[in-house]
Amino acid sequence: MKPAEYYMRDRNWQPPALTPNYKTSVARSPRLAMISLENTVSEITGPRFGHEDLGPLDHDLIRNYATTGDPVGERIIVHGRVLDENARPVPGTLVEVWQANAGGRYRHKKDTYLAPIDPNFGGCGRTLTDAEGYYFFRTVKPGAYPWRNWVNNWRPAHIHISVFGAGFTQRLITQMYFEGDPLIAHCPIVQSIVDPGAVDQLIAPLDLNAGIPLDSLAYKFDIILRGRRSTLFENRLEGN
Amino acid sequence: MPQPLHYLKETPSQTAGPYVHIGLAPGAAGFEIFENELGRDIAGPDAPGERIRVEGLVTDGTGAPVKDVLLEAWQADASGIYPHAEDPRHADCAPGFRGWGRVITDFDTGLWAFDTVKPGAVPGRNGTTQAPHISLWIVARGINIGLNTRLYFEDEDNGADPVLGLVEQAHRRDTLIARKTAPGHYRFDICLQGDAETVFFDI
């Protein structure tokens, strides 16, 4: 069997390892070139997850850590599809998210920001895409967050997103930003991405159609994973 | 202008940040939320093979341990079979073998460790055989896009491995070889930058 390989990553589109304005990258970026590897079974396979791995509220950040009431903040739905570069859905794949609360405070023992913890908000969730690659979460919109980089750096409101895809080579972690946030242009982590079109791909637009009147706003965020190369000797070239 | 190709573009990566544990290992962040935290058991209790423990440190370009790293491992079972439909032999994979694990470093020491079974050799490209290896993916604050590397074992025959063979400088191949420290125990340190820099792959 000849495995169908994944398209190579566009390393001009992806952020480079060394981006000195994001200071921590200076000592944590390799100086030598990566060695390019053609796919083997080790790369085209990857972990699979099922509904038995998840709990019933794992996708609902408004409910999954609430004890005395709902968390404080702007109620939102984040939804979209996981597709590959050929615009084909990636079904049954695990999507995990984590974020700060409405005030920009993370529930993490290393976060010492003075904004308070919300007793009813944990800040993480996970779900599986359906047969069409669709996913959604319910949460509150995270607040901006200060960090020690430049003297006065603030992260834009963002949600961290982790997605697996079908093969280990598609594994990806990224961050979703919100349409219209003026901090996006000032953020050295966002600007680790060189191509402005690639930055746009991380900005979720407001999606009034997906919101719930008198309940929640919605933002739409599609996630694109690497596509797969044509396999020779099939009737139709895969992906073409 | 030529015709457009119409491929979508891969979503750009961003750093996992210092609080990656909240989403991917919330117990380590300091709270229990999920009934089942994923990635804690690579092999399951019933998979045959040699039970091993691998531990190591990730160091940065100054030599300091990176204490907020998250690693994921992906490997075949002791017979060299992946639990995935695209491995032609997947129906014969060991029962309960997941093949995937997720570990974080200790916040104080930077040490990480995982327990698994030693993988078997798996097929390579064009009829070759790959020496037993574990694929690793490393994310952390300061790492803009996850780093891929491989862990091989010093007590296996690695001489004909086609991937190691791609590493031009022989001494750099050694950065991919886990050292046996005791029966069933291996040490695999990862150096992100500098003289002993680990080989990373663009897969």
Side-chain angles (χ1 to χ4, degrees):
Chain A
M1 185 182 103
K2 183 176 167 57
E5 295 170 46
Y6 286 89
Y7 299 158
M8 72 172 182
R9 272 206 159 114
D10 182 346
R11 294 282 175 178
N12 288 322
W13 185 257
Q14 293 291 344
L18 174 60
T19 51
N21 283 335
Y22 174 25
K23 293 182 181 180
T24 314
S25 78
V26 174
R28 295 186 175 191
S29 47
R31 288 290 173 273
L32 298 172
M34 286 183 285
I35 291 179
S36 295
L37 209 57
E38 293 167 289
N39 290 176
T40 71
V41 69
S42 302
E43 286 77 37
I44 65 165
T45 57
R48 304 295 293 161
F49 302 91
H51 290 284
E52 71 282 1
D53 289 320
L54 308 183
L57 290 177
D58 282 3
H59 68 293
D60 186 353
L61 283 70
I62 286 184
R63 289 282 158 77
N64 71 8
Y65 202 72
T67 52
T68 60
D70 286 347
V72 173
E74 187 176 326
R75 296 161 64 88
I76 62 168
I77 292 162
V78 175
H79 77 122
R81 294 178 79 198
V82 181
L83 304 169
D84 73 7
E85 289 171 296
N86 299 311
R88 275 197 292 239
V90 182
T93 199
L94 183 68
V95 181
E96 299 166 291
V97 297
W98 68 100
Q99 63 169 90
N101 68 22
R105 176 71 185 269
Y106 283 97
R107 186 177 286 278
H108 191 293
K109 54 190 175 191
K110 297 281 185 187
D111 186 1
T112 56
Y113 180 34
L114 51 79
I117 287 280
D118 183 333
N120 291 306
F121 190 70
C124 61
R126 53 194 191 181
T127 191
L128 292 172
T129 57
D130 71 10
E132 281 76 49
Y134 183 77
Y135 77 93
F136 75 97
F137 292 94
R138 186 167 77 147
T139 186
V140 295
K141 188 177 175 185
Y145 172 82
W147 58 303
R148 293 181 184 278
N149 189 64
W150 294 335
V151 170
N152 191 20
N153 261 148
W154 291 75
R155 294 305 322 283
H158 63 281
I159 298 177
H160 297 266
I161 300 181
S162 161
V163 58
F164 280 81
F168 206 52
T169 187
Q170 285 180 309
R171 189 80 180 87
L172 183 74
I173 280 180
T174 188
Q175 300 181 30
M176 180 199 112
Y177 304 99
F178 292 85
E179 177 181 2
D181 187 339
L183 287 170
I184 292 172
H186 297 281
C187 178
I189 289 179
V190 175
Q191 303 305 328
S192 68
I193 298 168
V194 177
D195 191 314
V199 171
D200 287 345
Q201 202 173 337
L202 298 184
I203 302 173
L206 176 70
D207 184 359
L208 281 175
N209 288 343
I212 303 170
L214 306 178
D215 182 327
S216 299
L217 284 170
Y219 286 85
K220 183 168 186 290
F221 190 68
D222 287 339
I223 300 162
I224 313 302
L225 302 180
R226 294 161 68 177
R228 300 194 84 167
R229 182 180 306 293
S230 303
T231 304
L232 292 176
F233 311 120
E234 289 185 342
N235 288 336
R236 183 166 176 270
L237 292 181
E238 190 179 338
N240 298 26
Chain B
M1 288 277 285
Q3 296 180 28
L5 282 166
H6 293 307
Y7 293 110
L8 300 179
K9 295 295 288 185
E10 187 189 20
T11 297
S13 171
Q14 292 268 266
T15 179
Y19 305 128
V20 60
H21 319 91
I22 292 174
L24 307 188
F31 67 113
E32 295 297 327
I33 182 166
F34 297 137
E35 272 183 36
N36 175 22
E37 255 187 47
L38 298 172
R40 286 176 166 170
D41 193 358
I42 301 176
D46 301 325
E50 182 191 356
R51 295 276 156 173
I52 61 168
R53 163 164 275 230
V54 181
E55 68 169 14
L57 273 181
V58 179
T59 53
D60 69 14
T62 73
V66 179
K67 296 177 178 176
D68 49 12
V69 78
L70 180 137
L71 286 94
E72 288 185 0
W74 174 242
Q75 65 164 90
D77 71 4
S79 303
I81 304 172
Y82 285 100
H84 187 278
E86 293 192 57
D87 185 321
R89 296 188 297 153
H90 74 274
D92 298 324
C93 191
F97 182 84
R98 177 147 241 172
W100 171 77
R102 173 183 272 172
V103 295
I104 58 159
T105 49
D106 182 277
F107 290 149
D108 296 322
T109 64
L111 266 177
W112 53 267
F114 58 81
D115 296 304
T116 185
V117 297
K118 202 177 192 188
V122 302
R125 296 170 64 88
N126 305 317
T128 59
T129 298
Q130 305 186 68
H133 64 276
I134 298 176
S135 298
L136 297 175
W137 185 72
I138 302 151
V139 295
R141 177 172 68 103
I143 296 177
N144 289 324
I145 183 165
L147 295 168
N148 290 98
T149 189
R150 283 182 171 202
L151 178 161
Y152 290 82
F153 299 89
E154 73 169 346
D155 53 351
E156 295 285 340
D157 179 7
N158 298 310
D161 183 80
V163 170
L164 287 172
L166 292 172
V167 182
E168 188 180 335
Q169 302 88 353
H171 71 276
R172 296 208 70 214
R173 289 174 212 149
D174 293 340
T175 68
L176 301 177
I177 314 287
R179 304 293 161 197
K180 192 166 191 170
T181 53
H185 283 69
Y186 294 87
R187 175 86 183 193
F188 189 71
D189 292 326
I190 296 165
C191 176
L192 296 177
Q193 181 193 108
D195 289 342
E197 188 171 306
T198 298
V199 170
F200 297 104
F201 295 105
D202 190 6
I203 60 171

